[in-house]
Amino acid sequence: MDHAGQDATSVFVPIHPSDTLEKNLPPEKHLGTLDKASIQELRASVKDKGKTRDELRVEEAIKVKPSLSRMINIQDIEETAKNLLPYKAMTYYASAADDSISHTENSRAFSRFFFHPRVMKAVSGVDPSTLMLGYKSSIPVYISGSALARLGHPLGEVNLTRGAYLTGILQMVSSNTSLSYRQIAVARGSPDQPLFFQLYKHKNDLSAARRIKEVESLGYKAIFLTVDALIPSNRELDTRAPHYLEDYENQGKNIRPTAVNEAVEINTLGTAGGLVASNDTDMTWEKTIPWIRSVTKLPIVIKGIQCVQDAVLAAEAGCEGIVLSNHGGRQLEYSLPPMEVLYKLRNERPDVFTKTEVYIDGGVRRGTDVLKALCLGARMVGLGRAFLFAQSAYGEAGVVHLVRILEREIKFGMASLGVRTVDQLVPDLVERVDWQPLNPKL
């Protein structure tokens, strides 16, 4: 509504796939082609409007952006990206629920696990490759489904897909991409490149079925049903973004906000709120999994398992995989870190690992984090924000560079642990401790 009667291209394109209007707007609502005179008038008005302070800040940040060769770990890439992203994009990518406690603890949880390295083992030719749902990955890391990549870079998800192909890793594509599912499929390096689909199930079964059939026809290889983000959460950094930008743009101007004394309802939806407005909030094990089976023969993975009991139910329901995840700490505050859930699952129900593939995402910062998860039984580890930041700052090359960083760290860690292949990473190689080392970055 802020752009009613105006050219809304700049705010529409980064968060809507190119086929949005065709899929969601009835033909009778299509008013026709804009005439050339109107197009010129709109372009002129944009030019006359000038650039915002935030746009000028981004331009200056890009001029002094460090070379990619100076990015030696995930933290370097994230800090660089945050400095040069538009503020709205940065707050969407970085935001977490409430006081960011779950988000912070996701990373801290890994620091409670220490290794028992074995020495005098033959470790030449370390091979970190593995399989996920039968598809090979060069390292035990995949790109987790993350929405709106074009907020950070014009090519958005294409950077992720091409980077995944060049490095031989796997990609899960979000329901809420800023490119169409077809555009992403076309961007694959070869027709054989596997893509998985993260499904936010629509409350209307017909709409949900159309989405599943569409991605299946495009060659996507699995459905990752997201179950931990059904309703909008309280992501305050994202919510405050418009207020910050308003104050930032008005710096130096004699403008005071209008005082409003009566109680008003605060809009906490932010960028993310509209993405989940149509989600099915009545999914059940008894109803939803059989329904998806009736629609597709693709493997089903449940993304967002946060306790041992639900991991067991997913295995009993015959799901081909589960992702232990609290949505990157972006949904329910004080949900357990996935690494702690993995540890509990290994101790309480080790049989689950023989019945279904177990993955984990959230809080991974280093190759050693990946190895700790694999020692406890995880087959693969997903990263979302890290890849968004990498492609935002450096495009496709940033995605490749991030994978190479993780590959180097994982290979070093495997050799140091005395293992050559990922199947040699076993629980005896890690120990959970009741204290944590001092880490100023957490």
Side-chain angles (χ1 to χ4, degrees), residues 76-86 90 388-390 392-393:
D76 290 344
I77 295 174
E78 179 173 326
E79 291 176 356
T80 298
K82 284 182 175 179
N83 287 333
L84 55 82
L85 276 168
M90 188 279 292
L388 284 178
F389 286 131
S392 295

Side-chain angles (χ1 to χ4, degrees), residues 389-405:
F389 286 131
Q391 72 93 26
S392 295
Y394 296 101
E396 177 185 323
V399 176
V400 172
H401 191 68
L402 174 56
V403 176
R404 298 303 179 216
I405 288 173

